[in-house]
Amino acid sequence: MEYDERLALFRQTRLNPFDRGEEEDGPQGGKTPPQHEARPELFSGTRTHSSDRTMDLGLAEDHFSRPVGSFVASDIEQLKLAIEECKKLILELPEHSERQKDTVVKLIHLRLKLQELKDPEEDEPNLRILLEHRFSKEKSKSVKQTCDKCSTIIWGLIQTWYTCTGCYYRCHSKCMNLITKPCVRSKVSHQSEYELSICPEIGLDRQDYRCAECRTPISLRGVPSEARQCDYTGQYYCSTCHWNDTAIVPARVIHNWEFEPRKVCRSSMRYLALMLSRPVLRLKEINPLLFNFVEELVEIRKLRQDILLMKPYFITCKEAMEARLLLQDLIDISSGRLSCSLTEIHTTFAKHIKLDCERCQAKGFVCELCKEGDILFPFDSHTSVCHDCSAVFHRDCYYDNSTTCPRCARMTERKQDDISDVKEA
C-alpha cells in the first residue's frame, strides 16, 4: 500500500467507531482535547515537545504480540490509547515527511492488532449458512466494499467480512446475525419468473408505512426514514434496503420497448442480475403485437429458429462435434449487436451444413412437388416445411399445391399396407 493511500485511509477512519478515544464537545460546542497529563507514557525516553518526539512509540511487534492465554481488558485499552497518540502525532508532523509515513504504518499495524483482539480470526469460520445464503469469508483487504446490511464501508484491513456465493450479498461479520432477507438465488432457482406489471404500486398505507424488506418505519417526508420506491416491485423501501441503484426493468421492455434504467432496491437489483441469462420470457405469448412494431425482433426470431433447425444436423455429425460448433452461445447483447452476433452464428452453421460437410449435405431434401432445383434445407429462406412429417419443399411449390404432402401420403399408404398384412396373417 502506497503512503498516500495509507494516509487517506487514516484520514477517513480517524473517527471510526472502532476507536473509543473520540474527542468530546466542549461547553461552547468546540472540541476539548484530552488533557496532556492524561496521555499514557507510550514514548521511550523523556517526554519532549511534539516536534521533537521520538518515533519509538513503544509499539514494537514483541510488545503487542499475543501472549499465552487470552488478552485482558487493559491490553485493549492500551492499544486504543496508542492509536490515539498515533493519530495526534500524524496531524502534528510535517506533511509527507518520513516520520509521518512511519507513523501511518504503525497506526495501521495497531488497528490490525486491535481488530485481532476484538475479532479473532480463528473464531470466524470460512463458510457460514444463513437464510439460504452461503457466506464465504473474504480474504481481500480492499476498502471499496460496502456492507449491504448496515450500509457502511467494510474496512478489509481491520474487519472480517463475508460474501454470499449465490447472490453476492456482502456484510460485516458482526452484521450477519441481523440479516432478515433470504438469498435471492433461491428465489431464482424455485421461482424463475419476472414481475410483468409496470411498477405495481400498492401504496405506503398497505405497507403500514414500513420498509417492505426490513420493516423500518418510513415516509415520503423522510421522517424517520426516506421512502424510496422500487420500480420493479412497486413497493417502498428504506435507504438501507434501497441505494438508488438502477436496472433495466423487464416489464417496461416487454410492454413499452423501453430500456431506460430505473431505480430499484438492492434485492431487486440482485434478482434481475441473476435472471438476466435465463430464457424465461415468451414474448410471442406475452405481447405478440410487439413484433409488428419492432422489425429487429422478427429478424432475430427467424435467425434463432433457423439455428435451432441446424443443431440436429450437428448432433450426428462427427466433424461438427470435433469443431465444437454447438458451444457457440446465443447471447443477448443489449448494445444492439445481437442481430450481428446471431447472423455470424447462422452463417457459420449454414456453411458447414451446405458446403463443408458431405454427411450433413446428405441429410438435405429434394422438393417432391417439382422435383427440380438444388438440395433444400429447412432453414433456407425460400423453403417451407410440412408440419406433420418435416419434409422440405420450395415455398412456391408448397403453397401452390392443392393436394396433400407427398411424403405424408406415402407414409399413410405404408401404414395401411402394414395393417392389411397383419390382418391377413
Side-chain angles (χ1 to χ4, degrees):
M1 182 183 296
E2 297 296 333
Y3 165 70
D4 291 339
E5 295 178 357
R6 295 197 297 264
L7 185 59
L9 176 61
F10 156 69
R11 287 173 172 169
Q12 294 177 14
T13 59
R14 55 183 299 194
L15 296 181
N16 191 302
F18 206 51
D19 305 323
R20 303 298 183 185
E22 291 89 346
E23 298 174 344
E24 298 180 355
D25 291 339
Q28 282 79 30
K31 298 293 181 180
T32 303
Q35 296 297 321
H36 181 79
E37 57 272 19
R39 295 183 181 180
E41 294 296 328
L42 294 175
F43 300 90
S44 61
T46 306
R47 184 183 303 273
T48 58
H49 191 269
S50 61
S51 61
D52 299 326
R53 286 175 177 169
T54 175
M55 283 303 298
D56 183 8
L57 299 179
L59 309 178
E61 196 70 18
D62 293 339
H63 179 78
F64 285 101
S65 60
R66 184 186 295 274
V68 178
S70 60
F71 273 89
V72 294
S74 60
D75 296 311
I76 296 179
E77 292 302 321
Q78 288 177 6
L79 275 173
K80 292 179 180 177
L81 292 173
I83 288 172
E84 285 302 309
E85 288 291 337
C86 263
K87 290 163 65 175
K88 293 168 185 173
L89 182 57
I90 289 172
L91 296 177
E92 295 172 359
L93 289 173
E95 192 80 8
H96 299 292
S97 65
E98 290 299 324
R99 296 179 63 191
Q100 189 186 58
K101 294 178 183 180
D102 293 337
T103 312
V104 170
V105 173
K106 288 191 176 183
L107 176 62
I108 293 173
H109 287 304
L110 283 173
R111 287 188 178 278
L112 290 173
K113 284 291 183 182
L114 182 59
Q115 175 64 18
E116 184 180 354
L117 297 185
K118 287 189 171 185
D119 193 16
E121 185 175 351
E122 58 267 25
D123 294 338
E124 296 288 353
N126 291 326
L127 181 65
R128 298 178 64 177
I129 300 177
L130 177 68
L131 295 176
E132 300 188 22
H133 291 280
R134 293 182 62 86
F135 285 106
S136 176
K137 185 163 67 172
E138 293 289 349
K139 302 183 183 300
S140 171
K141 302 302 181 182
S142 171
V143 297
K144 298 180 180 179
Q145 307 297 339
T146 304
C147 178
D148 283 300
K149 180 58 185 176
C150 65
S151 303
T152 59
I153 294 177
I154 298 175
W155 300 105
L157 285 171
I158 59 177
Q159 293 176 320
T160 303
W161 59 292
Y162 287 80
T163 299
C164 175
T165 58
C167 65
Y168 308 107
Y169 188 100
R170 299 183 182 92
C171 69
H172 297 103
S173 174
K174 63 182 180 180
C175 296
M176 291 189 63
N177 293 331
L178 303 176
I179 297 174
T180 58
K181 188 71 174 178
C183 180
V184 175
R185 183 170 287 278
S186 62
K187 181 181 177 182
V188 173
S189 302
H190 302 132
Q191 186 184 359
S192 296
E193 58 183 15
Y194 287 113
E195 170 60 58
L196 298 181
S197 299
I198 297 178
C199 195
E201 181 179 1
I202 60 175
L204 269 175
D205 56 337
R206 293 281 298 277
Q207 294 184 208
D208 196 25
Y209 292 91
R210 293 181 179 274
C211 172
E213 183 169 325
C214 68
R215 307 305 296 166
T216 299
I218 55 176
S219 72
L220 294 176
R221 295 182 177 180
V223 180
S225 181
E226 178 189 4
R228 298 179 178 178
Q229 188 178 32
C230 172
D231 195 81
Y232 175 69
T233 64
Q235 296 179 306
Y236 289 88
Y237 299 81
C238 65
S239 57
T240 301
C241 301
H242 192 317
W243 297 3
N244 287 330
D245 298 302
T246 59
I248 296 175
V249 179
R252 294 186 179 275
V253 175
I254 293 171
H255 298 295
N256 298 342
W257 200 242
E258 176 189 341
F259 290 87
E260 180 182 355
R262 300 281 180 156
K263 292 182 179 180
V264 295
C265 66
R266 295 291 291 176
S267 59
S268 294
M269 183 189 68
R270 292 192 188 90
Y271 181 76
L272 293 174
L274 292 173
M275 286 286 290
L276 187 62
S277 60
R278 291 180 173 258
V280 297
L281 289 175
R282 298 182 179 272
L283 193 56
K284 190 175 180 180
E285 298 177 5
I286 300 172
N287 186 10
L289 294 178
L290 193 60
F291 289 90
N292 298 335
F293 297 95
V294 183
E295 296 180 359
E296 293 86 350
L297 283 178
V298 179
E299 180 183 358
I300 290 170
R301 181 176 61 178
K302 180 62 170 63
L303 288 171
R304 282 180 164 170
Q305 289 173 347
D306 288 350
I307 291 172
L308 291 177
L309 291 172
M310 294 177 188
K311 285 193 173 183
Y313 287 83
F314 297 152
I315 295 176
T316 56
C317 178
K318 182 179 179 180
E319 294 181 7
M321 297 302 289
E322 291 177 352
R324 302 170 69 87
L325 293 178
L326 283 178
L327 294 183
Q328 300 192 36
D329 296 331
L330 305 181
I331 302 174
D332 288 344
I333 304 174
S334 59
S335 61
R337 298 193 301 268
L338 175 59
S339 179
C340 295
S341 176
L342 292 179
T343 300
E344 182 178 351
I345 295 173
H346 185 284
T347 302
T348 302
F349 285 12
K351 181 176 180 293
H352 172 86
I353 295 172
K354 302 178 69 173
L355 299 176
D356 298 342
C357 181
E358 293 182 358
R359 291 187 181 90
C360 292
Q361 292 178 34
K363 298 173 186 176
F365 293 82
V366 175
C367 179
E368 295 188 41
L369 296 176
C370 69
K371 295 180 172 51
E372 297 177 357
D374 299 330
I375 298 176
L376 305 179
F377 294 91
F379 51 83
D380 288 333
S381 59
H382 60 286
T383 61
S384 293
V385 180
C386 176
H387 297 291
D388 297 324
C389 68
S390 300
V392 182
F393 308 93
H394 291 114
R395 179 172 297 173
D396 295 338
C397 298
Y398 187 74
Y399 286 108
D400 292 342
N401 182 42
S402 58
T403 61
T404 59
C405 168
R407 190 181 184 189
C408 288
R410 188 167 58 252
M411 294 172 63
T412 302
E413 183 179 353
R414 187 178 302 162
K415 288 181 180 179
Q416 291 176 351
D417 292 342
D418 292 341
I419 294 174
S420 299
D421 294 341
V422 172
K423 288 181 179 180
E424 290 179 358

